[in-house]
Amino acid sequence: MDKYTKHFFENIRKKLSEWEAAEKIPHEEVYRFIHSLAGSASVLGLDAIGKKASTIMDGLPEKDSRIWSMNVIRDELFDIIEACYLHVEGEIPDFSRKYERRGDGPVVLIMDTDTHFLMEAKEKGEAEGWHVVPVVSTEKAIGLYYDVRPDCAILNVDMADDEELDSFKQNLKSHYVPAVMMSSDRSKEVRVKAYKVGADDFMAKPVDMDEFLVRVDRQLQRKKHLESLVLIDELTHVYNRKYLQQAYSRLKDQGDRQLCVAILDIDHFKKVNDTYGHLIGDEVLREFAGYLKQKTGAQDIIFRYGGEEFVILFHGTSLHEAVARLNVLREDFSLHTFFAGEAFSCSFSAGVAEIADPGRPFEHWLGLADTALYEAKEGGRNRVRSEVLKLDPSHEKILKVAIVDDDPIIRTVMSDIVAKLPQQPGVRYDVNTFDNGESFLYDEWHGSEQTLVVLDGVMPKMDGLEVLEHLRRRQDSDRYKVIMLTSRRSERDISRSLQLGADDYITKPFKLLELEARLNQILKRMR
């Protein structure tokens, strides 16, 4: 980068820092800045930045009494700031994919003291679409288990005693989570020990990474198959009630869309059994389940709750939309004809509730839907009723997000990404930025709420690792989740950050989609 281009980006950093410190920014100052960017960028051959600045400038009046805030500037100028980051860090811009949502891949928890292995497994596993959580201690792994709810756990046998391994495996077994155990000791005794405490597979280190990926994927596929055998209702081939809580937890953790729960009950089903016999009754249940599977969306989940009762989790659906969809289902199903020597038809009643506060237990929302179902049946059956919870704003959960980095471009990019992450009802993100670790540590802003800290490893005044060490010495350290940023692929730095209790790390230059996915993942676990 020549000295003129370097000066160009330094001016942008300087201006962003000035604006962060100011409460109000006059419109003319913002306009002059964009005008300067448009001209300078083109002269320096930074065409992508110049074109974006020109486009924004064309949509703004030169004179205006408007007062800008830093939040508005982040939103309005994000494309320019993002292009600056991408140019400096060498990432090729792909603005069409900026807010594309990634699918939820399986979560793989890896416990090992070998940092080189953790780094390679994390990089390769995430290329496969997994979310890899690396930990360097047994205590950390046990503490994270209920937090991350892994789909597969990879444990180094050498790190834990028999009691710890047995306790960990009991947790895994109760949730159908396979365990792959590893050791640098290839002896028969160690292999037998691993299988005795419940290993589903054993790998001796060093392990070939291609083989590692295949064998872990095999366990992930095996888990999916096992769940389909255990959690599917034999008669109707929809999920049974055993899977209801787990499915709800998964949808809730996605945290990016509205969620409703409905209970459906076939009207006068006892009369069907008494009149036509239980075999015909079973056929009605099978056809009703098949009808629901055919008519509901791909992301909706259907369960046989018991007898003639079914539950639907509507994903990405408001209460108003769920009621409307259920009424269409209800009217259409009542026209369906069954045959048992004579033709007959059935109807159903339904109660539905919107899950407006994810902090409340699922049984609460199921109870609201059940109350609504009771009202539908009392009101004459063949109808849909809904229950609405009036949320108290004082019960809103606040998650604080601190961006601690000495580069204002990165602070701006990260703040904008967090601001645009989807939030569930009852949850609000409070985002703040800090240009050094010392100012973050001694600021009262993070009070007593849960806080996600995105922490740069190298900063003036106080190194990121020093900040992390301070946080982990606090009595309330559990309320801090920390993602470390490092500009160096230093095994030593990553090892130190994991030992100090970092929850994840990202190596600069990072891809914006990767950053967005990581932030979304960890914030989901904090809700």
Side-chain angles (χ1 to χ4, degrees), residues 248 252 355-361 365 424-427 527:
Y248 165 69
K252 182 187 73 170
I355 297 169
D357 179 2
R360 296 192 180 217
W365 307 107
Q424 278 194 344
V427 179
R527 295 183 186 122

Side-chain angles (χ1 to χ4, degrees), residues 214-404:
V214 169
R215 289 170 70 170
V216 173
D217 185 64
R218 180 172 173 269
Q219 295 300 327
L220 292 170
Q221 297 306 318
R222 177 174 168 267
K223 179 179 186 290
K224 288 175 65 175
H225 179 63
L226 180 63
E227 286 179 343
S228 71
L229 293 176
V230 175
L231 305 176
I232 298 294
D233 179 65
E234 188 176 359
L235 175 66
T236 61
H237 296 162
V238 297
Y239 288 110
N240 59 35
R241 65 187 298 164
K242 292 179 183 177
Y243 184 58
L244 184 53
Q245 180 65 54
Q246 184 178 342
Y248 165 69
S249 296
R250 287 184 177 275
L251 290 182
K252 182 187 73 170
D253 283 352
Q254 290 181 25
D256 54 355
R257 305 181 71 182
Q258 291 172 295
L259 187 59
C260 291
V261 58
I263 303 180
L264 289 64
D265 186 281
I266 299 176
D267 296 325
H268 303 294
F269 185 71
K270 184 177 184 300
K271 185 178 178 181
V272 173
N273 279 333
D274 291 345
T275 304
Y276 304 107
H278 288 277
L279 291 179
I280 297 300
D282 286 351
E283 185 59 33
V284 169
L285 292 173
R286 274 193 294 267
E287 289 198 32
F288 183 55
Y291 168 79
L292 293 178
K293 287 165 66 176
Q294 180 184 3
K295 298 294 185 179
T296 52
Q299 292 187 314
D300 302 326
I301 308 178
I302 304 162
F303 309 81
R304 185 183 179 194
Y305 194 62
E308 67 273 22
E309 281 191 336
F310 291 77
V311 168
I312 303 177
L313 288 176
F314 287 107
H315 190 216
T317 306
S318 68
L319 184 63
H320 176 75
E321 292 168 334
V323 169
R325 289 175 62 186
L326 284 165
N327 272 318
V328 171
L329 290 172
R330 179 185 57 78
E331 292 170 6
D332 192 27
F333 180 70
S334 66
L335 301 176
H336 183 79
T337 303
F338 297 93
F339 294 95
E342 62 179 15
F344 68 96
S345 59
C346 294
S347 63
F348 72 84
S349 303
V352 59
E354 182 171 2
I355 297 169
D357 179 2
R360 296 192 180 217
F362 179 62
E363 290 74 16
H364 173 79
W365 307 107
L366 204 59
L368 285 180
D370 193 50
T371 299
L373 172 63
Y374 176 80
E375 293 174 358
K377 296 179 85 67
E378 285 292 297
R381 292 184 169 83
N382 193 17
R383 62 198 63 212
V384 178
R385 291 288 182 266
S386 62
E387 281 288 320
V388 180
L389 175 73
K390 302 298 183 184
L391 283 176
D392 181 352
S394 66
H395 292 156
E396 182 179 55
K397 182 173 183 178
I398 297 174
L399 292 180
K400 301 214 166 189
V401 182
I403 312 295
V404 188

Side-chain angles (χ1 to χ4, degrees), residues 85 102 410 413-415 417 421 454 483 485 506 510-521:
Y85 169 77
R102 286 185 171 186
I410 290 180
V413 167
M414 287 189 173
S415 298
I417 287 175
L421 288 175
V454 183
I483 297 179
L485 303 178
I506 300 177
F510 44 77
K511 295 185 180 296
L512 298 178
L513 278 172
E514 176 191 4
L515 174 65
E516 182 184 351
R518 295 281 187 90
L519 291 173
N520 200 33
Q521 270 281 352

Side-chain angles (χ1 to χ4, degrees), residues 25 27 42 60-61 90 114 143 177 181 197 237 315 351 372 376 403 438 448-449 465 475 480:
I25 303 105
H27 171 81
S42 299
L60 295 174
D114 182 349
V177 177
M181 297 194 185
V197 295
H237 296 162
H315 190 216
I403 312 295
E438 201 171 63
S448 59
E449 283 89 7
L465 290 174
Q475 289 186 338
Y480 293 95

Side-chain angles (χ1 to χ4, degrees), residues 16-17 20-21 70-71 74 401-405 407-408 410-416 430-436 439-440 443 445 454:
L16 290 175
S17 293
E20 280 184 329
M70 189 56 193
N71 285 338
R74 285 192 186 108
V401 182
I403 312 295
V404 188
D405 197 299
D407 189 332
I410 290 180
R411 292 199 301 271
T412 304
V413 167
M414 287 189 173
S415 298
D416 193 87
D430 180 7
V431 185
N432 204 349
T433 60
F434 301 87
D435 60 8
N436 67 80
S439 63
F440 161 71
D443 196 298
W445 162 81
V454 183

